[in-house]
Amino acid sequence: MLNFDFYNPTRVVFGEGTIARLDELVPADARVLVLYGGGSAERNGTLAEVQAALGSRRVQRFGGIEPNPSYETLMKAVELIHREGIDFLLAVGGGSVIDGTKFVAAAVKHAGDPWEILQTRGKSVSSALPFGCVLTLPATGSEMNCASVVTRKSVNAKLGFFSRQVFPRFSVLDPVKTYTLPPRQIANGVVDAFVHVAEQYLTYPVSAAVQDRYAESLLQTLIEVGPKALATPQDYDVRANLMWAATQALSGPVGAGVPQDWATHMIGHELTALHGLDHAQTLAIVLPTLLNERRTPKRAKLLQYAERVWNIRDGDEDARIDAAIARTREFFESLGVKTRLADYGIGANAIDALVAQLEAHGMTALGEHRDLDLTTSRRILEACL
């Protein structure tokens, strides 16, 4: 097992009716800005429930944070905070709203150009406004980590940053709030959580038995509850397990003391930036092909994955790896998430621009061994067609 430094200060308040506890979680004298996405939080009554729980606090709203939150939109929130003297943020939504809130929290306190936060991957962040979350979409795990990804539309860049300054103070997780989500969002959430675990698990062995079993249990849980979440949208136990699995997928313990990949995410980010695909769609496209391309350095973990997650024990080693990768692709497809670029109208003429974007953003040595170069990324993208 590799050395690690694990830290996660986020308080999780989980269960039905827990939005009412915002009254005890948000400082009584706070001047609050509630950040949210589209109109669903308003239509389904979540914003009204949040407002009621905040009581007599001074509360303002900032809506319109997009899926793949844009730098341009978020900077409008920064301006509002400076103008109105806001001192506490509350994200109400899924991973995009929470990621966006993290950037806003850091940008408000940043002395220079806020774009530096993303250009330096968070190294320039020294402080941030405090914030909490009300999670409405299980997917990214942003509600319990210190990572954020933001898109700057004007330069076609989708970049991430990390900083301990942007851990949420608390996150309220009520599975009931997921009942009315469209099937596409639930399916995307399952894929997103699955690939988060895979990026930390499908690398190479380092005798990290606890982390391996933890990862495998999360993958098996997602395989079990993902289809059920689509088939029975108001099954509380199913939605609760999906919500908690998605949170745990990227809250720290799975990746502590083990090598991590994240090449699927880096390649996927460029697909979103240039073609507007959902984040999870890009992951479903890239992961199966990347696993096949990297089957040699990942061989031991792919065989372990085949046996422990998919119960594949018959055939020679290559046949078992083939079967595990095929089952992964089939799982994504069974949720309604397509796994080929052609499914989204993207052809071979798009590859050059995608590779150029990877180069422009310094994504030239990816993967757990930092040996996945642009030539390999091109091969992966071509195999995704």
Side-chain angles (χ1 to χ4, degrees):
M1 191 187 305
L2 308 178
N3 291 0
F4 64 89
D5 180 347
F6 175 76
Y7 172 74
N8 194 321
T10 301
R11 177 180 178 181
V12 174
V13 180
F14 190 101
E16 185 173 1
T18 47
I19 288 178
R21 294 184 60 186
L22 287 173
D23 187 45
E24 67 184 77
L25 296 168
V26 177
D29 59 350
R31 291 166 291 179
V32 182
L33 180 65
V34 175
L35 299 98
Y36 58 100
S40 61
E42 192 155 17
R43 289 191 301 271
N44 64 22
T46 301
L47 283 179
E49 198 173 342
V50 167
Q51 183 74 50
L54 291 173
S56 60
R57 293 170 181 81
R58 176 184 163 192
V59 178
Q60 296 192 56
R61 294 183 182 181
F62 182 87
I65 297 177
E66 313 91 336
N68 303 304
S70 77
Y71 176 87
E72 291 82 356
T73 296
L74 299 174
M75 287 306 298
K76 294 176 183 177
V78 173
E79 294 170 7
L80 173 63
I81 291 164
H82 283 308
R83 186 170 64 248
E84 300 294 333
I86 302 293
D87 57 18
F88 194 92
L89 308 181
L90 184 63
V92 179
S96 292
V97 172
I98 299 170
D99 277 17
T101 300
K102 289 175 180 177
F103 173 77
V104 169
V108 166
K109 295 285 190 176
H110 194 68
D113 181 356
W115 185 238
E116 293 173 357
I117 294 170
L118 294 155
Q119 290 178 313
T120 65
R121 302 294 193 267
K123 292 179 182 177
S124 63
V125 177
S126 59
S127 63
L129 274 186
F131 71 97
C133 306
V134 175
L135 182 68
T136 61
L137 172 59
T140 70
S142 189
E143 65 275 6
M144 200 179 175
N145 65 42
C146 62
S148 169
V149 181
V150 171
T151 297
R152 190 165 189 175
K153 295 179 179 179
S154 61
V155 294
N156 288 326
K158 182 175 180 179
L159 302 177
F161 79 95
F162 303 83
S163 172
R164 288 188 173 186
Q165 300 296 327
V166 295
F167 271 109
R169 297 292 178 91
F170 62 82
S171 287
V172 173
L173 279 62
D174 182 348
V176 174
K177 295 303 168 186
T178 73
Y179 285 0
T180 59
L181 289 170
R184 173 172 163 175
Q185 289 187 320
I186 290 295
N188 279 350
V190 175
V191 171
D192 201 355
F194 191 99
V195 180
H196 282 162
V197 178
E199 295 271 38
Q200 301 166 89
Y201 170 68
L202 289 173
T203 55
Y204 57 87
V206 291
S207 297
V210 172
Q211 293 91 321
D212 278 0
R213 292 294 189 186
Y214 197 175
E216 290 153 4
S217 72
L218 288 171
L219 293 172
Q220 289 175 322
T221 298
L222 291 165
I223 291 166
E224 177 184 345
V225 304
K228 293 178 181 177
L230 293 171
T232 56
Q234 296 195 12
D235 185 319
Y236 181 85
D237 289 333
V238 167
R239 289 299 174 98
N241 279 288
L242 172 56
M243 182 172 264
W244 191 228
T247 298
Q248 290 299 296
L250 204 54
S251 63
V254 171
V258 300
Q260 300 183 26
D261 186 345
W262 300 108
T264 294
H265 273 70
M266 298 305 102
I267 297 170
H269 285 172
E270 304 305 344
L271 283 166
T272 295
L274 290 185
H275 297 281
L277 271 64
D278 295 347
H279 176 57
Q281 291 172 339
T282 73
L283 302 181
I285 291 167
V286 175
L287 180 68
T289 302
L290 181 142
L291 293 179
N292 188 57
E293 170 68 32
R294 303 290 285 172
R295 62 193 294 141
T296 297
K298 293 180 182 292
R299 191 174 190 84
K301 291 304 284 285
L302 281 169
L303 288 167
Q304 182 176 316
Y305 171 64
E307 179 178 350
R308 293 188 181 180
V309 175
W310 293 112
N311 197 31
I312 299 169
R313 293 179 169 83
D314 296 332
D316 63 25
E317 290 187 352
D318 282 326
R320 298 201 300 273
I321 290 172
D322 286 342
I325 295 172
R327 292 285 293 276
T328 305
R329 186 184 297 277
E330 290 164 6
F331 175 59
F332 297 159
E333 293 273 357
S334 75
L335 299 170
V337 184
K338 298 299 183 181
T339 61
R340 294 289 184 185
L341 288 172
D343 295 321
Y344 302 93
I346 301 172
N349 59 347
I351 303 299
D352 285 348
L354 290 164
V355 174
Q357 284 285 97
L358 287 167
E359 183 173 21
H361 296 141
M363 303 301 168
T364 58
L366 301 174
E368 62 269 29
H369 297 289
R370 299 296 179 261
D371 61 348
L372 199 163
D373 58 15
L374 291 174
T375 300
T376 309
S377 290
R378 177 181 291 276
R379 221 164 32 238
I380 289 167
L381 285 164
E382 289 172 346
C384 290
L385 292 168

